[in-house]
Every structure is written in C-alpha cells, then in structure tokens.
Amino acid sequence: MSGESKTVIPEKREWDAASYDKKHSFVWKYGTEVVELLAARKGERILDLGCGTGHLTHQIALSGAEVIGLDRSSEMIEQARKAYPQITFVLGDGYDFRFDEPFEAVFSNAALHWMTRPGAVADCISRALKPGGRLVAEFGGKGNLHRLHAAVKTAMSSLGYPVGEELDLWYFPRISEYATLLEKRRLEVTYAVLFDRPTALEGGDNGLREWLETFTSNFLARLTGDERPQFFKQVEAELRPVLFRDGTWFADYRRIRVVAVRD
Ligand SMILES: C[S@@+](CC[C@H](N)C(=O)[O-])C[C@H]1O[C@@H](n2cnc3c(N)ncnc32)[C@H](O)[C@@H]1O
C-alpha cells in the first residue's frame, strides 16, 4: 500500500481503447438497437456523445446523416479517427460542450452513466439541439450491476478500503429522476424504459476479471500488486454461484433507454 489515502479516486479515467475493442465489443453491439431507435435520416446533423471508438458513430453515418463523435478520452478518439477517417471525431467533455451549429439529434450509448454531473450534461444537450430535435440514449439505470458492485465493495472492504460513496462512480437513475431532470431543461420525455439485460462477458473463465479491469479501473488502480489477485479471487468466489453459467460470466446490467424532444 502506498502512503496515499485509500479514499482518493480520480473522476477522470483513461480508457484502454485497444482492449475495449478487443474484449468488450458487446457494448457497442448492444447499441445497434439504440441506433435503430434513433432512425437517423439522410442529411440530419447528429452528435454521438461519448462515442468511444466510433463503431456506432459509423453505423449512424451509414444512413447518410452528418454525424460528429465527441468523447473525453484521447485514446478512444484516436482509435475512432484511425478506424473511420471519413467521420469527424472531436475531443470534448460531456459536462461542457458547445457547437456553432445546432443538431437534429443527440445520440448516446453506454456513456451517460460515466458522467456523474447529469444536470451539466443535460444543459449541454438541450443547448445543442434545435427546437424539435431529439435525444436518444441508453445507459445504466437504477439497479445496474447491483450484485457485481456489492461483491466489489465487500472485497474492497476486506482489503481495508472504505466503501462508502467513494466507489459510487456512476450515475444510474430511475426513470422518474432522469425524466424530471430532462424536463427541467426543455426536453420532453416521449419514451422511457428500464429493463434488465444480463450480458454475457467475453473471455470465458477470465471474463469477469477482464471486465473489472476495464470498467472499474479507477479504483483497481488503488490496489497494490499483491492485493489485486486477492481482490479478483474474492469477487469471483462470491459471484460464481449467481453470475457464471456454462463457462460464461454474465454482468447484471440494467439499462435505461430514453427519447426526449426539445421544445
Ligand atoms: C463504455 S464507453 C461507450 C462508447 C460508445 N458509445 C460505445 O457504445 O461503444 C463510454 C465512453 O464515455 C466516454 N466518457 C465518459 N465520460 C465522459 C465525459 N465527461 N465526456 C465525454 N465522454 C465521456 C468515455 O471516454 C468512453 O469512451
């Protein structure tokens, strides 16, 4: 253990874009349904907020829409630009972005739960949309990863780390909470659903470990080399009876999917 406090967890995290694409492609593959819900039309100007490595930005562009991808991670943006050089990707922050020209739609998949100041994000979305423009988004909703997080907290606690709000790094709202937040910003919710989506992880027996390494890297960074194997072992032992079936780990995802229209 270093001399640093065990409680400090940086809000800003860097993403390992290569491993994201190689081991966690389920994230954007599930997002294909959200692209269908967006139903982009030729010529529409669309922003993909938290676009990551750009696979869904590309799918949206296939409709003939003029799409721009925005993400805070320079690694993700770099990888997206390499894969899809014909698309515009900008490095930017969901808490504070501004474009000269308004958009017909803001799209977002699996990104808004990483932005823990949702009011600031919704202010930017509302400002970015034309009147009549739409937000189409899916992200983690209330109860997302409930079992997984409980096991992580137990393991962190047994290693001597405090497990209060320090580990609540995500925003997983109820429908009522998120709808109210949007409505206060002139975004009228026309569709909202919260649903369980148990998600098979890639990597077989190592699937949970690889998922933890990518998606909980903020606080894994606090563990010493000796503590890490112990942490993984304990989380796996606790979750194996409920989240491991026929050689595959499942994450207990619960998603919120929303469409809202700017007045
Ligand atoms: C799980 S990835 C999803 C990427 C992509 N939408 C997809 O479906 O594959 C979450 C993305 O949100 C981005 N992100 C997190 N916080 C952000 C913020 N404040 N502003 C912009 N992007 C952010 C991350 O950098 C990351 O690329």
Side-chain angles (χ1 to χ4, degrees):
M1 185 84 239
S2 74
E4 262 180 291
S5 157
K6 282 191 167 191
T7 61
V8 182
I9 295 167
E11 189 197 14
K12 189 160 177 176
R13 73 196 299 287
E14 213 14 286
W15 288 77
D16 177 344
S19 120
Y20 179 77
D21 262 356
K22 210 163 100 202
K23 299 179 180 166
H24 309 290
S25 62
F26 69 85
V27 177
W28 67 265
K29 286 180 181 156
Y30 271 110
T32 299
E33 275 184 32
V34 195
V35 172
E36 282 165 20
L37 186 64
L38 171 70
R41 289 182 292 270
K42 191 168 186 267
E44 279 191 320
R45 203 173 129 79
I46 296 179
L47 177 69
D48 181 0
L49 178 55
C51 62
T53 48
H55 299 301
L56 296 178
T57 327
H58 169 66
Q59 279 189 15
I60 296 166
L62 294 178
S63 66
E66 262 179 58
V67 59
I68 296 178
L70 179 145
D71 202 284
R72 184 163 79 168
S73 158
S74 48
E75 263 211 42
M76 295 297 230
I77 286 291
E78 217 173 283
Q79 177 120 335
R81 283 179 182 152
K82 251 188 239 154
Y84 306 109
Q86 70 284 16
I87 297 178
T88 304
F89 291 100
V90 297
L91 194 60
D93 198 327
Y95 297 128
D96 182 20
F97 65 86
R98 201 179 272 273
F99 286 86
D100 291 339
E101 293 284 314
F103 293 90
E104 264 90 18
V106 173
F107 168 90
S108 187
N109 180 61
L112 294 178
H113 52 253
W114 291 102
M115 305 178 205
T116 52
R117 286 183 280 126
V121 178
D123 284 338
C124 294
I125 294 172
S126 179
R127 186 174 56 213
L129 284 170
K130 283 183 180 168
R134 62 204 188 278
L135 164 69
V136 178
E138 182 176 305
F139 58 106
K142 187 77 186 167
N144 193 42
L145 299 169
H146 181 69
R147 283 179 189 277
L148 232 151
H149 286 168
V152 164
K153 286 188 177 190
T154 306
M156 292 296 279
S157 171
S158 69
L159 287 167
Y161 289 84
V163 287
E165 288 172 3
E166 297 86 356
L167 293 183
D168 293 331
L169 300 171
W170 302 274
Y171 171 64
F172 298 143
R174 297 175 197 283
I175 289 179
S176 57
E177 182 187 339
Y178 198 57
T180 304
L181 183 136
L182 293 180
E183 282 159 7
K184 281 188 182 149
R185 291 164 178 85
R186 308 182 62 177
L187 292 160
E188 185 180 53
V189 176
T190 55
Y191 173 82
V193 60
L194 181 68
F195 58 100
D196 287 313
R197 198 198 65 201
T199 300
L201 302 179
E202 290 158 46
D205 205 37
N206 280 330
L208 181 61
R209 210 167 272 233
E210 288 173 358
W211 185 93
L212 289 165
E213 274 167 355
T214 296
F215 295 98
T216 62
S217 63
N218 278 34
F219 57 87
L220 280 187
R222 314 300 301 168
L223 300 178
T224 62
D226 292 348
E227 288 171 334
R228 275 179 169 242
Q230 215 180 317
F231 169 82
F232 288 132
K233 221 169 137 189
Q234 189 173 336
V235 174
E236 284 173 344
E238 188 170 334
L239 293 175
R240 197 172 285 276
V242 282
L243 297 182
F244 190 72
R245 287 192 296 282
D246 303 327
T248 300
W249 282 100
F250 288 80
D252 53 343
Y253 278 122
R254 199 156 200 244
R255 312 313 269 178
I256 181 169
R257 194 177 278 182
V258 175
V259 178
V261 178
R262 173 73 160 75
D263 70 17

